[in-house]
Amino acid sequence: MWTEEDNKLKRQFTFKDFKQAMAFMNEVAEAAEDMNHHPWWSNVYNKVNIELTTHDAGNTVTSRDHSLARRIDAIAEKFGSLGVRELGS
């Protein structure tokens, strides 16, 4: 459900409230630190928008982005993301 656009993987996650969205972001931050691969993201209330790209590879999508996306999906599932959808849908 990630979309690849403008050399980025993009996705939006929706949670039941702000607190759950922030808990999700905190866990994603831990995964990103473990992988030394950090997302661009934004949050408004219960929505989290994430974009992944590999700067070291000339700002293109690489296997590192796909690996982090899979970890993010697993975290979102754990938090019961509601209506998980692609960014811009």
Side-chain angles (χ1 to χ4, degrees):
M1 296 224 316
W2 290 81
T3 59
E4 188 169 339
E5 180 182 328
D6 301 324
N7 293 319
K8 298 172 189 164
L9 286 180
K10 299 179 180 184
R11 190 161 185 182
Q12 181 181 82
F13 298 87
T14 303
F15 299 92
K16 72 175 187 172
D17 56 25
F18 178 73
K19 187 174 180 179
Q20 190 177 54
M22 290 306 300
F24 165 76
M25 290 179 75
N26 285 329
E27 194 157 326
V28 169
E30 291 293 325
E33 275 294 298
D34 288 347
M35 296 178 69
N36 192 29
H37 192 57
H38 305 91
W40 174 94
W41 56 13
S42 65
N43 163 251
V44 176
Y45 183 60
N46 68 333
K47 293 184 177 24
V48 178
N49 296 312
I50 299 178
E51 295 182 0
L52 304 174
T53 190
T54 301
H55 304 291
D56 296 350
N59 295 316
T60 61
V61 175
T62 68
S63 61
R64 293 182 75 202
D65 302 300
H66 288 283
S67 294
L68 182 54
R70 284 190 297 276
R71 287 189 68 180
I72 292 169
D73 285 344
I75 294 166
E77 187 174 321
K78 173 183 164 185
F79 280 93
S81 178
L82 308 169
V84 177
R85 62 189 181 94
E86 296 87 12
L87 184 62
S89 296

